[in-house]
Amino acid sequence: MRHALVFFCLFSINVVFAADPLPSWNAGPAKDAIINYVKCATNDGCPLYVTPQERIAVFDNDGTLWSEQPAYFQLLFALDRVRALADQHPEWKTEQPFKAVLENDFKTIAASGKAGLLKIMAVTHTGMTTDEFEKTVRNWIKTARHPEKQVPYTKLVFQPMLELLNFLRANGFKTYIVSGGGIDFLRVWTEDVYGIPPEQVIGSSIKVKLEQRDGKPVLVRQAEIDLIDDKEGKPVGIHRYIGRAPVMAFGNSDGDLQMLQWTDRRENTLKALVHHTDAKREYAYDRESHIGQLDQALKEAQAKGWTVIDMQRDWKRIYPAPTPDN
Amino acid sequence: MRHALVFFCLFSINVVFAADPLPSWNAGPAKDAIINYVKCATNDGCPLYVTPQERIAVFDNDGTLWSEQPAYFQLLFALDRVRALADQHPEWKTEQPFKAVLENDFKTIAASGKAGLLKIMAVTHTGMTTDEFEKTVRNWIKTARHPEKQVPYTKLVFQPMLELLNFLRANGFKTYIVSGGGIDFLRVWTEDVYGIPPEQVIGSSIKVKLEQRDGKPVLVRQAEIDLIDDKEGKPVGIHRYIGRAPVMAFGNSDGDLQMLQWTDRRENTLKALVHHTDAKREYAYDRESHIGQLDQALKEAQAKGWTVIDMQRDWKRIYPAPTPDN
Ligand SMILES: [Ca+2]
Ligand SMILES: [Ca+2]
């Protein structure tokens, strides 16, 4: 009996110390910074101790939790929707920017600028009920394939970040998405893919309006911006949805700078940037990129000693291992 | 050893069955409806079973979780703020509706209508940072006294509803406030008083704007409405903040009707109204009241068999027992 107990205790200790909560992360300063922060934040004898209800960790999505090249995936969703709706809109054969979308003329789409993008977003994201939109996204995320990698978009999430989300939740952190992407686009699949429920997703939004259809209330998506959850909008979104400041913040671009600064207001917080340095396994871009531009935020991270996660150096693998069913 | 085990098991069984999760509720249809709903919602063999992640329960605040007479408590906060700020505003001695507030002339305040109310709200709720506003509310909620009952406002929460909140949380429900009151007013004290953290409080809001002060980011409260979380705004607020429909909803007035209808969209949900019928222990009002008017919602509840909680009949006590420190 005594021997069995001793054995059991030794075994437990081995398990606790041997298990690496971040197996896809290489040893190095980024991994150390995260693990040391969490160890201290959850130890009430530590100067960085954070009470359980204050353990809020916020994550940008595009480029931080999943890839964002060759274009934001939600834009690729919108282009797919234009193609799917084209039969109902014969006028699109001659009307820009829809003509360009149908002809895969990306130069003309890009040249249509913000006005063109808004036209595409209006026809693909507004006018329907929230139920209808959710159903459309659910179907797309299940069936669509990334144009270059030829896999479902949800296979292009970062395995090291999935481990980080789980590690934080196992230590009592509430994990939030704070994305420039659309809140109603994200909420459909974030629970399955990241373990983040809809009520912990913050994103850009449009206004919705209550109407009665067939005697039942529905919410109809309006062509009117509610919140742009990017740059200075990120602290606004955090205040609106969470009502208190996070203690950990992860981003990858200048659009996250204000979120990291907002997190930096209080002491004993961790701010981190994912730096896309891996052209071979993912994509490499920063200062010059039109998507996920990283310039000012990287300078400020270096000046202030924030954590910079170098994808090539810090991550053993980028994407989850293929599972038998795909 | 065997005797000890048998004794222990019997004891456990007794505890489980003897403990009444809602001791301040009288036996009757309202208590039965709630307990039966929760029992079935948490039993996966039951037709009303609800998965843990869908166990969302929403509560109106004014008149549902605490009293709202002789006026919404947030309005009484605003009047207290006008009095506190009067020294810095000598012009208020002659300017309405401030003059009326300073002279306790409630007839003139009421006669100033919506325009007057907006003036009072603007000077007391906007222009400061979110940190400053939070500090002001925190101090007021600690020190202010209800004009009739002469106790702190937080002593005027309903003991039966506190028990209900705890009972639901013990059964895996996430409890939310969905209030017409101000979200930033509520979030300061709901965690201490109701056990509801800031991120589970939905309410009316104004816009905030990111600014730099002394080299640090702050959010400044703007004189511009963001969301009126009342009537048709309640489903909008629920969609915005939670992103999925609740399965239990509790209100007390016509302002909650759309929230109850929204909850009623799916099967196997519980909708309930608190009916203020107890002039002796609290207040009695419904169809004719200017505060918390309850007319259409009561008719619909009766027609559709929603639960009506009759305060006089269903509640053994209204407020929490006085504690030694007050
Ligand atoms: Ca990003
Ligand atoms: Ca109410």
Side-chain angles (χ1 to χ4, degrees):
Chain A
M1 177 73 172
R2 206 165 61 114
H3 286 284
L5 262 178
V6 168
F7 175 77
F8 178 76
C9 290
L10 281 174
F11 184 74
S12 303
I13 288 164
N14 278 334
V15 169
V16 169
F17 281 89
D20 179 351
L22 302 175
S24 299
W25 292 65
N26 287 315
K31 183 173 184 173
D32 282 353
I34 291 167
I35 289 187
N36 289 337
Y37 181 81
V38 171
K39 267 191 188 164
C40 199
T42 54
N43 172 356
D44 66 4
C46 201
L48 303 188
Y49 178 68
V50 179
T51 61
Q53 62 268 35
E54 289 179 305
R55 287 180 206 159
I56 305 277
V58 292
F59 293 82
D60 168 62
N61 182 52
D62 295 308
T64 298
L65 294 180
W66 73 355
S67 292
E68 59 183 348
Q69 300 285 358
Y72 293 126
F73 295 175
Q74 190 175 357
L75 175 59
L76 301 176
F77 159 77
L79 301 183
D80 281 351
R81 288 303 298 155
V82 168
R83 293 178 194 113
L85 295 167
D87 279 354
Q88 299 163 239
H89 294 275
E91 74 279 13
W92 288 354
K93 279 186 192 134
T94 55
E95 189 186 332
Q96 294 295 13
F98 306 108
K99 181 170 182 287
V101 176
L102 300 178
E103 293 169 352
N104 291 315
D105 173 3
F106 294 104
K107 221 178 209 171
T108 304
I109 299 173
S112 76
K114 201 181 158 185
L117 184 67
L118 281 176
K119 275 186 195 170
I120 292 170
M121 295 306 276
V123 301
T124 57
H125 284 68
T126 73
M128 69 291 283
T129 67
T130 54
D131 296 325
E132 288 159 355
F133 184 72
E134 179 183 327
K135 205 175 141 188
T136 303
V137 175
R138 193 178 299 284
N139 184 52
W140 180 85
I141 205 85
K142 224 189 300 182
T143 57
R145 295 291 178 274
H146 186 271
E148 294 172 357
K149 310 238 176 215
Q150 298 298 331
V151 296
Y153 290 95
T154 53
K155 298 290 174 194
L156 299 176
V157 299
F158 302 138
Q159 174 64 22
M161 297 306 277
L162 296 183
E163 293 167 5
L164 176 55
L165 289 169
N166 281 327
F167 175 53
L168 294 181
R169 289 191 290 256
N171 282 282
F173 284 81
K174 234 174 171 169
T175 52
Y176 276 83
I177 288 172
V178 179
S179 172
I183 191 167
D184 291 334
F185 174 79
L186 290 159
R187 281 173 162 176
V188 177
W189 51 270
T190 55
E191 187 154 37
D192 281 350
V193 174
Y194 301 133
I196 297 181
E199 63 268 26
Q200 284 163 226
V201 176
I202 302 171
S204 295
S205 55
I206 56 171
K207 291 194 191 296
V208 298
K209 190 164 170 266
L210 192 70
E211 290 183 11
Q212 299 291 324
R213 291 197 183 169
D214 306 322
K216 279 209 165 190
V218 294
L219 289 170
V220 181
R221 297 170 56 84
Q222 310 292 303
E224 194 184 343
I225 297 289
D226 183 43
L227 174 69
I228 299 288
D229 190 49
D230 195 32
K231 297 196 168 81
E232 61 277 9
K234 290 209 174 194
V236 172
I238 289 168
H239 176 75
R240 177 198 271 194
Y241 284 91
I242 311 180
R244 57 181 149 203
V247 294
M248 301 183 86
F250 295 82
N252 79 303
S253 81
D254 287 353
D256 300 310
L257 179 55
Q258 288 86 347
M259 175 171 83
L260 270 56
Q261 290 170 334
W262 185 247
T263 305
D264 199 38
R265 288 196 341 148
R266 62 176 270 180
E267 284 179 32
N268 305 340
T269 56
L270 185 137
K271 289 77 53 183
L273 286 170
V274 174
H275 190 186
H276 291 257
T277 52
D278 199 326
K280 203 171 154 204
R281 295 185 300 172
E282 204 246 3
Y283 300 92
Y285 56 96
D286 46 32
R287 291 176 214 290
E288 307 293 323
S289 178
H290 290 294
I291 295 161
Q293 186 181 38
L294 177 64
D295 183 7
Q296 288 305 315
L298 189 59
K299 281 179 195 151
E300 190 152 334
Q302 285 158 347
K304 295 191 172 165
W306 298 346
T307 299
V308 177
I309 300 162
D310 181 312
M311 284 179 77
Q312 194 180 40
R313 177 196 67 186
D314 291 322
W315 288 356
K316 276 187 199 148
R317 59 178 309 136
I318 307 291
Y319 300 123
T323 48
D325 64 318
N326 66 52
Chain B
M1 178 72 171
R2 205 164 61 114
H3 286 286
L5 263 180
V6 169
F7 175 78
F8 179 75
C9 290
L10 282 174
F11 183 73
S12 302
I13 288 165
N14 278 333
V15 169
V16 169
F17 281 88
D20 178 350
L22 302 176
S24 299
W25 294 65
N26 287 315
K31 183 173 184 173
D32 282 354
I34 292 167
I35 288 186
N36 289 337
Y37 181 81
V38 171
K39 267 191 189 164
C40 199
T42 55
N43 172 357
D44 66 5
C46 199
L48 303 187
Y49 178 69
V50 179
T51 60
Q53 62 267 35
E54 290 179 305
R55 288 181 204 158
I56 305 276
V58 292
F59 293 82
D60 168 61
N61 182 53
D62 295 308
T64 298
L65 294 180
W66 73 355
S67 292
E68 59 183 349
Q69 300 284 0
Y72 293 127
F73 295 174
Q74 191 176 356
L75 175 59
L76 300 177
F77 159 76
L79 301 183
D80 281 350
R81 288 303 297 155
V82 168
R83 292 177 196 115
L85 294 167
D87 278 354
Q88 299 163 239
H89 293 274
E91 72 278 13
W92 288 353
K93 279 187 192 135
T94 55
E95 189 186 332
Q96 293 296 10
F98 306 108
K99 181 170 182 285
V101 176
L102 299 178
E103 293 170 352
N104 291 316
D105 172 4
F106 294 103
K107 221 177 209 170
T108 303
I109 299 173
S112 76
K114 202 180 158 187
L117 184 67
L118 281 176
K119 276 187 196 170
I120 291 171
M121 294 307 274
V123 301
T124 57
H125 284 69
T126 73
M128 69 290 282
T129 69
T130 54
D131 296 324
E132 288 161 354
F133 184 72
E134 180 184 327
K135 204 175 141 189
T136 302
V137 174
R138 193 177 299 284
N139 183 53
W140 180 84
I141 206 85
K142 220 188 305 182
T143 57
R145 295 291 178 274
H146 186 272
E148 292 172 358
K149 309 236 177 215
Q150 297 298 332
V151 296
Y153 290 95
T154 54
K155 298 291 173 193
L156 299 176
V157 299
F158 302 139
Q159 174 64 21
M161 297 305 277
L162 296 182
E163 294 168 5
L164 175 56
L165 289 168
N166 281 327
F167 175 53
L168 294 181
R169 289 191 290 256
N171 282 282
F173 284 81
K174 235 174 169 168
T175 52
Y176 276 84
I177 288 172
V178 179
S179 171
I183 191 167
D184 291 335
F185 174 80
L186 289 159
R187 281 173 161 176
V188 177
W189 52 269
T190 55
E191 187 154 36
D192 282 349
V193 174
Y194 301 133
I196 297 181
E199 62 268 27
Q200 284 163 227
V201 176
I202 302 170
S204 295
S205 55
I206 56 170
K207 291 196 192 296
V208 299
K209 190 164 169 265
L210 192 70
E211 289 184 12
Q212 300 290 324
R213 291 198 182 165
D214 305 323
K216 280 211 164 187
V218 294
L219 290 169
V220 181
R221 297 171 57 83
Q222 309 293 302
E224 194 183 344
I225 297 288
D226 182 42
L227 173 69
I228 298 289
D229 190 49
D230 195 34
K231 298 196 169 79
E232 62 277 8
K234 290 208 174 194
V236 172
I238 288 168
H239 175 75
R240 176 197 272 194
Y241 284 91
I242 311 180
R244 56 181 151 203
V247 293
M248 301 183 85
F250 295 81
N252 79 302
S253 81
D254 287 353
D256 300 309
L257 179 55
Q258 287 87 346
M259 175 171 82
L260 270 57
Q261 289 169 334
W262 186 247
T263 304
D264 198 38
R265 289 197 338 148
R266 63 176 270 179
E267 285 179 30
N268 304 339
T269 56
L270 184 136
K271 289 75 54 184
L273 285 171
V274 174
H275 190 185
H276 290 258
T277 51
D278 199 325
K280 202 171 156 204
R281 295 186 300 172
E282 204 246 4
Y283 299 92
Y285 57 96
D286 48 31
R287 292 175 215 292
E288 307 292 325
S289 179
H290 290 293
I291 295 162
Q293 184 182 38
L294 177 63
D295 183 8
Q296 288 306 316
L298 188 60
K299 281 180 195 149
E300 189 152 334
Q302 284 157 349
K304 295 190 171 165
W306 297 346
T307 299
V308 177
I309 300 161
D310 181 314
M311 284 179 76
Q312 193 180 39
R313 177 197 68 187
D314 290 323
W315 287 358
K316 275 187 199 147
R317 59 179 308 134
I318 307 292
Y319 300 123
T323 48
D325 64 317
N326 66 50

